[in-house]
């Protein structure tokens, strides 16, 4: 397991302190940086679990046609054009003409016309399934959906569904009329708003404005609706289905005696339709593979995400189905510094092993080496490097601090053997002084060391003195190790106790300060809030995972090492 | 091990590019096209390739058995495939990066899907019209519908290549060692 850094999202909880990292249940609140969003209004990190998602458009993944939301319901979430899915391998089907008739003399003749000959059928290029196996052929190569529509509508499941809808519709209409009129005016959440925009709007309308009388449109009908509701709450006309349910399986809807007969005759497991082949269907279908019919391709949706607190849009994709870009893209990677952690001894060993493996004609590295390389040995002290990348166009000052965790060591009965619950005792030392990271800029704007020409004397002096400082700091392992472009590498050390076991994980608080209005770069001096530009500080928690600890003896394999 | 003696018998109508690695006793039939960077190694036994085959770039055809490896007519060996089957019929398609081991004998009109690895432990013969597809190399039988159109397409493909390849690549003329 390579060392990693995950970011903590408080997910609207009141305390911003993350849970202790060694508990398996706390992994829910730590996410990799590329999955997180950042809300500028609330100045907070949002993760995929706390954002509210809404659909921004529907499209067919095959023909990339954007379907307006009105037609989505009409077409039952499937593509209305000629897009079909192979029931066997879920690939897209293409419409092909049949072979030209055999001329009889054994030679394969060329096709007569470019369009091809009827009957046309659907053909899968991947598994070579074609729809003539289930008996579906077409006379024309276009307008297939319409041709299939009649077939689909006459299936017994579909007719049953229509009947159910007709039966329940008047009841639903009556009950919804009575329920909506009795809703309390103070809580607008009882209105079922599918669109958060209208939800936000109605919340704004229902807000208390001092001086304006409260608008209560439902006070008059309140009494009258109560009577209505109690009347028809329990009464509903009985529903009579079209078919007797015990006979339904005969018509291909699965279940019942038909399946039992099929199982008795079963010879090869490939005759049974697999789950992946069956679950895309609207109704339950028969179990046999040869009964699978081509499906219209289900539509996909493009989603936009909003901040749950202030309902500002965080992610908004473009309207066109083909484009993968976003109109609004407030991702955390554009605001928070990206942190990667590496153990230098692992990087070295990896280099050695890959060089050896290349010589040994690509054999996999030996397992022993892997163990020693990937895991940390108890009792040793390891330096680790953290590289922080600044995504902003302004320089930032970063301060790191390790969160103190309560060590609740629970020792179980077996004395000498490994106890899973014991917390590995280790000590982390990281630089706690604030250090700066240069702003992000295009590659050619960075001052390269080779380019000494055309620079002023002052800049040259500053560069030289900067380099001297860097060479001095390289000799120690804890502290700022390197600054290049917009990346700063800091080194820390982890000292493992002799009896340490488990994973080395610690929470780290990263606080960074940036000047939002000042364009001049800072030189790493202490931040003075009395400057004219305003400085903002943002802090977030991360968990740094350095890997597992293995005991000193290499021969023994840790039981819970994955 | 006896040194491999190169003996290439290439039909005059075949199109074999200069950059092809040939080793051993190889016979290439009329109208067959071998793209540059293909590899045909008749390491232990000879290889006989039929007429109208198309062997694309980075395809590797190896014969490590002493018996003759016979490849039929109008087969398509797509980019990156690796074939060691001892006998192959006609009109087969070996898709990109597929691998066929020497334990499998392939009949005609088969399709080995892209990336499929056909490596059974015991000897096996794929019957006509078998389609192998998917990452776990599932199989099914093709009804053969559309084979006339596909055969026609294959021939047109070969014709086009026969016309275009010599314009842009140097050709190797068939001769002995």
């Amino acid at each position: 397991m390579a060392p990693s850094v995950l970011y903590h999202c408080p997910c609207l909880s009141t305390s911003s302190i993350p849970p202790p990292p060694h508990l398996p249940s706390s992994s829910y609140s730590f996410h990799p940086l590329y999955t997180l969003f950042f809300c500028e209004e609330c100045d907070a990190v949002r993760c995929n679990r706390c954002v509210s998602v809404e659909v921004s458009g529907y499209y067919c993944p095959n023909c990339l046609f954007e379907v307006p939301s009105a037609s989505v319901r009409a077409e039952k979430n499937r593509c209305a054009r000629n897009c079909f899915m192979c029931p066997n391998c879920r690939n897209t089907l293409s419409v092909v003409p049949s072979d030209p008739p055999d001329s009889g003399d054994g030679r394969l003749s060329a096709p007569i016309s470019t369009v091809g000959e009827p009957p046309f059928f659907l053909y899968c290029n991947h598994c070579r399934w074609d729809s003539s196996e289930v008996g579906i052929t077409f006379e024309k190569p276009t307008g297939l959906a319409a041709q299939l529509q009649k077939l689909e509508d006459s299936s017994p499941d579909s007719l049953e569904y229509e009947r159910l809808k007709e039966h329940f519709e008047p009841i639903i209409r009556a009950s919804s009329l009575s329920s909506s009129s009795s809703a309390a005016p103070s809580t607008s959440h009882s209105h079922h708003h599918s669109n958060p925009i209208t939800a936000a709007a109605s919340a704004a309308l229902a807000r208390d404005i001092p001086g304006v009388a409260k608008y209560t449109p439902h006070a008059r009908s309140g009494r009258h609706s109560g009577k209505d509701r109690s009347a028809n709450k329990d009464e509903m006309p009985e529903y009579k289905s079209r078919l007797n349910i015990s006979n339904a399986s005969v018509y291909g809807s699965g279940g019942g005696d038909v399946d039992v007969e099929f199982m008795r005759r079963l010879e090869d497991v490939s005759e049974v339709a697999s789950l992946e082949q069956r679950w895309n269907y609207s109704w339950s279908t028969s179990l046999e593979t040869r009964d699978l019919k081509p499906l219209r391709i289900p539509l996909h949706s493009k989603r936009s995400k909003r901040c749950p607190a202030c309902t500002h849009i965080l992610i908004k994709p473009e309207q066109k189905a083909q484009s993968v870009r976003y109109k609004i893209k407030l991702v955390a990677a554009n605001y928070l510094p990206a942190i990667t952690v590496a153990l230098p001894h692992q990087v070295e060993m990896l280099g050695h092993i890959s060089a050896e493996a290349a010589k040994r004609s690509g054999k996999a590295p030996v397992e022993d080496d892997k163990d020693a390389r990937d895991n940390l040995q108890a009792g040793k002290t390891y330096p680790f490097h953290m590289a922080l990348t600044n995504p902003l166009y302004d320089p930032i000052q970063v301060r790191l601090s390790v969160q103190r965790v309560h060590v609740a060591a629970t020792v179980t009965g077996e004395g000498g053997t490994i106890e899973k619950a014991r917390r590995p005792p280790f000590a982390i030392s990281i630089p706690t002084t604030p250090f700066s990271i240069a702003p992000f800029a295009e590659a050619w704007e960075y001052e390269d060391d080779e380019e000494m020409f055309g620079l002023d004397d002052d800049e040259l002096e500053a560069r030289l003195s900067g380099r001297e400082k860097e060479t001095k700091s390289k000799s120690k392992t804890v502290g700022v190790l390197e600054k290049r472009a917009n990346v700063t590498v800091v080194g820390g050390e982890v000292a493992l106790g002799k009896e340490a076991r488990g994973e080395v994980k610690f929470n780290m608080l990263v606080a960074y300060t940036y000047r939002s209005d000042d364009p001049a770069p800072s030189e790493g001096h202490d931040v003075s809030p009395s400057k004219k530009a305003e400085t903002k500080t943002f802090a977030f928690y991360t968990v740094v995972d350095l890997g597992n600890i293995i005991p000193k003896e290499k021969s023994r394999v840790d039981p819970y090492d994955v | 091990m006896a040194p491999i003696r190169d003996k290439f018998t290439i039909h005059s109508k075949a199109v074999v590019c200069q950059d092809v690695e040939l080793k051993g006793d190889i016979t290439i039939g009329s109208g067959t096209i071998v793209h540059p960077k293909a590899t045909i190694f008749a390491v232990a036994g000879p290889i006989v390739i039929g007429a109208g085959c198309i062997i694309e770039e980075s395809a590797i055809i190896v014969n490590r058995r002493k018996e003759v490896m016979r490849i039929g007519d109008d087969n398509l060996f797509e980019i990156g495939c690796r074939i060691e089957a001892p006998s192959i019929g006609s009109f087969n398609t070996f898709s990109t990066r597929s691998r066929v081991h020497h334990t499998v004998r392939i009949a005609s009109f088969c399709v080995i899907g892209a990336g499929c690895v056909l490596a059974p432990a015991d000897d096996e013969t794929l019957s006509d019209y078998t389609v192998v597809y998917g990452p776990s190399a599932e199989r099914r039988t093709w009804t053969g519908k559309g084979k006339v159109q596909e055969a026609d397409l294959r021939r047109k493909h070969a014709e086009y290549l026969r016309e275009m390849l010599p314009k842009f690549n140097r050709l190797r003329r068939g001769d002995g060692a």
Side-chain angles (χ1 to χ4, degrees):
Chain A
M1 277 284 289
S4 63
V5 176
L6 297 177
Y7 290 66
H8 169 69
C9 171
C11 275
L12 297 177
S13 68
T14 43
S15 87
S16 66
I17 313 287
H22 61 280
L23 300 174
S25 68
S26 56
S27 60
Y28 75 92
S29 60
F30 293 108
H31 315 261
L33 181 61
Y34 57 85
T35 54
L36 293 176
F37 312 104
F38 188 83
C39 179
E40 272 192 343
E41 310 293 319
C42 317
D43 246 1
V45 170
R46 300 283 176 223
C47 69
N48 264 319
R49 280 200 205 95
C50 41
V51 294
S52 51
V53 182
E54 63 191 22
V55 171
S56 106
Y58 296 89
Y59 66 98
C60 167
N62 185 40
C63 57
L64 291 180
F65 175 69
E66 290 125 42
V67 184
S69 12
S71 340
V72 168
R73 275 195 74 181
E75 300 292 338
K76 299 193 180 65
N77 292 8
R78 300 199 180 248
C79 186
R81 300 145 129 235
N82 308 338
C83 301
F84 286 90
M85 196 167 76
C86 172
N88 208 5
C89 61
R90 272 107 45 220
N91 192 24
T92 311
L93 294 173
S94 49
V95 186
V96 290
S98 311
D99 275 342
D102 197 4
S103 53
D105 56 359
R107 273 188 305 124
L108 299 165
S109 58
I112 301 165
S113 64
T114 43
V115 177
E117 308 212 338
F120 298 91
F121 50 92
L122 297 166
Y123 170 78
C124 171
N125 219 352
H126 189 54
C127 67
R128 305 279 168 125
W129 178 92
D130 63 87
S131 65
S132 57
E133 292 184 26
V134 284
I136 296 180
T137 56
F138 305 100
E139 289 308 317
K140 286 184 302 168
T142 52
L144 303 180
Q147 293 180 43
L148 266 192
Q149 189 69 19
K150 295 185 225 47
L151 203 66
E152 275 178 21
D153 277 345
S154 60
S155 80
D157 291 315
S158 168
L159 290 171
E160 188 75 48
Y161 183 67
E162 293 295 319
R163 222 174 126 97
L164 275 167
K165 269 209 296 198
E166 281 166 19
H167 179 257
F168 282 113
E169 211 164 319
I171 302 171
I172 293 176
R173 227 179 300 132
S175 71
S176 76
L177 263 176
S178 58
S179 71
S180 67
S181 52
S182 60
S186 53
T187 57
S188 56
H189 299 298
S190 58
H191 295 271
H192 295 291
H193 288 282
S194 54
N195 197 342
I197 300 172
T198 50
S202 62
L205 275 177
R207 203 171 44 210
D208 263 344
I209 303 173
V212 179
K214 195 102 178 88
Y215 176 55
T216 51
H218 320 293
R220 353 173 212 104
S221 52
R223 256 165 279 126
H224 144 78
S225 65
K227 192 174 62 158
D228 255 351
R229 254 199 325 159
S230 59
N232 59 8
K233 196 153 109 170
D234 292 330
E235 281 178 25
M236 224 188 332
E238 182 153 325
Y239 173 72
K240 277 206 184 48
S241 61
R242 272 183 71 240
L243 306 163
N244 196 350
I245 191 68
S246 48
N247 288 341
S249 56
V250 174
Y251 298 97
S253 56
D257 291 330
V258 177
D259 275 355
V260 176
E261 280 304 315
F262 168 59
M263 288 296 167
R264 286 208 189 109
R265 294 179 281 125
L266 200 58
E267 280 171 38
D268 183 18
V269 75
S270 62
E271 279 181 42
V272 181
S274 78
L275 192 60
E276 280 113 355
Q277 290 169 333
R278 272 186 297 139
W279 67 12
N280 261 322
Y281 287 84
S282 311
W283 322 108
S284 64
T285 52
S286 80
L287 283 181
E288 301 183 54
T289 324
R290 59 185 183 163
D291 274 351
L292 292 173
K293 304 229 176 340
L295 273 181
R296 295 210 256 158
I297 289 197
L299 299 172
H300 287 192
S301 63
K302 279 198 161 189
R303 285 165 293 247
S304 50
K305 301 189 180 172
R306 280 177 190 269
C307 172
C310 61
T311 68
H312 267 83
I313 296 186
L314 300 173
I315 297 285
K316 186 169 173 132
E318 278 193 12
Q319 196 54 33
K320 285 177 71 144
Q322 301 97 305
S323 95
V324 291
R325 307 223 216 126
Y326 296 95
K327 275 198 206 140
I328 303 179
K329 189 174 152 189
L330 297 177
V331 286
N334 289 345
Y335 293 90
L336 304 184
I339 309 179
T340 52
V341 64
L343 293 162
H345 72 274
Q346 278 186 14
V347 176
E348 267 179 44
M349 288 187 81
L350 202 57
H352 286 319
I353 288 175
S354 59
E356 278 173 48
K359 287 183 215 150
R360 257 186 288 148
S361 70
K363 261 199 287 180
V366 188
E367 276 311 306
D368 292 338
D369 280 346
K370 195 170 182 294
D371 258 351
R373 170 174 46 102
D374 280 350
N375 298 318
L376 311 167
Q377 287 186 5
K380 284 196 183 173
T381 302
Y382 290 96
F384 60 90
H385 291 216
M386 281 196 293
L388 290 101
T389 310
N390 177 12
L392 308 173
Y393 286 103
D394 298 304
I396 57 176
Q397 292 272 91
V398 179
R399 183 185 297 120
L400 307 169
S401 58
V402 179
Q403 188 196 26
R404 293 275 138 243
V405 190
H406 293 294
V407 180
T410 58
V411 181
T412 59
E414 297 93 275
T417 54
I418 303 155
E419 295 93 357
K420 225 174 183 179
R422 189 148 58 130
R423 280 269 295 109
F426 52 83
I428 312 276
S429 54
I430 54 174
T432 46
T433 52
F435 54 91
S436 71
I437 313 183
F440 171 75
E442 298 300 323
W444 57 82
E445 284 179 24
Y446 285 121
E447 294 153 359
D448 233 354
D449 275 328
E450 286 87 17
E451 288 180 324
M452 301 292 256
F453 306 107
L455 290 173
D456 302 328
D457 286 332
D458 305 342
E459 279 182 75
L460 210 62
E461 260 182 45
R463 176 104 42 71
L464 281 173
S465 56
R467 271 205 288 173
E468 272 173 26
K469 274 194 230 157
E470 276 170 41
T471 45
K472 271 191 223 155
S473 62
K474 265 187 190 131
S475 53
K476 62 178 200 289
T477 45
V478 180
V480 178
L481 294 181
E482 189 193 339
K483 282 190 197 185
R484 60 160 194 278
N486 62 334
V487 178
T488 302
V489 183
V490 296
E493 260 187 8
V494 53
L496 304 173
K498 281 215 168 40
E499 293 304 317
R501 296 283 180 276
E503 303 172 325
V504 183
K505 271 191 184 173
F506 58 94
N507 283 352
M508 189 170 69
L509 172 66
V510 181
Y512 67 100
T513 311
Y514 55 102
R515 265 171 270 270
S516 43
D517 292 330
D518 188 5
S522 71
E523 281 295 294
H525 300 304
D526 49 345
V527 176
S528 46
S530 58
K531 276 205 168 170
K532 54 180 182 336
E534 62 171 58
T535 68
K536 290 208 258 182
T537 304
F538 186 71
F540 58 94
Y541 281 92
T542 59
V543 64
V544 182
D545 178 10
L546 292 174
N548 279 322
I549 309 179
I550 55 167
K552 267 189 152 160
E553 310 93 59
K554 279 188 212 158
S555 52
R556 186 158 56 121
V557 178
D558 239 301
Y560 50 86
D561 249 4
V562 177
Chain B
M1 206 172 120
I4 302 167
R5 225 166 305 162
D6 288 345
K7 178 163 162 283
F8 312 137
T9 315
I10 303 181
H11 195 280
S12 54
K13 288 226 186 77
V15 174
V16 180
C17 296
Q18 184 88 357
D19 219 353
V20 176
E21 277 199 40
L22 299 174
K23 226 190 253 181
D25 182 356
I26 299 177
T27 308
I28 297 186
S30 143
T32 296
I33 297 159
V34 186
H35 283 228
K37 300 276 187 236
T39 308
I40 307 181
F41 276 3
V43 174
I47 296 183
V48 176
I49 302 182
C53 288
I54 303 172
I55 303 170
E56 295 190 351
E57 285 84 348
S58 309
I60 303 175
I61 303 180
V62 181
N63 185 16
R64 284 195 286 209
R65 298 153 69 110
K66 286 226 194 55
E67 300 88 16
V68 179
M69 179 184 189
R70 284 188 200 281
I71 298 180
D73 303 335
D74 297 291
N75 294 301
L76 171 62
F77 297 88
E78 289 194 6
I79 293 174
C81 66
R82 189 192 166 93
I83 309 297
E84 294 181 34
S87 97
I88 298 178
S90 308
F91 282 105
N92 297 302
T93 305
F94 297 88
S95 303
T96 313
R97 291 238 185 181
S98 52
R99 298 174 64 108
V100 178
H101 272 216
H102 57 85
T103 44
V104 185
R105 286 165 193 276
I106 301 186
S108 303
F109 292 99
C110 294
V111 178
I112 314 291
C116 288
V117 176
L118 212 54
D122 318 308
D123 272 354
E124 197 185 331
T125 307
L126 281 190
S127 40
D128 280 1
Y129 298 105
T130 309
V131 178
V132 180
Y133 64 97
S136 47
E138 303 155 26
R139 304 192 194 172
R140 61 180 302 276
T141 317
W142 182 22
T143 51
K145 271 203 138 120
K147 69 170 187 255
V148 173
Q149 296 172 70
E150 194 172 320
D152 188 59
L153 179 65
R154 184 79 44 96
R155 251 182 284 115
K156 285 208 186 110
H157 186 185
E159 242 175 71
Y160 178 79
L161 284 176
R162 227 169 289 139
E163 208 187 294
M164 282 294 161
L165 265 184
K167 287 192 192 165
F168 300 98
N169 293 287
R170 289 205 199 95
L171 295 185
R172 173 206 284 267
R173 290 282 141 227
D175 47 13

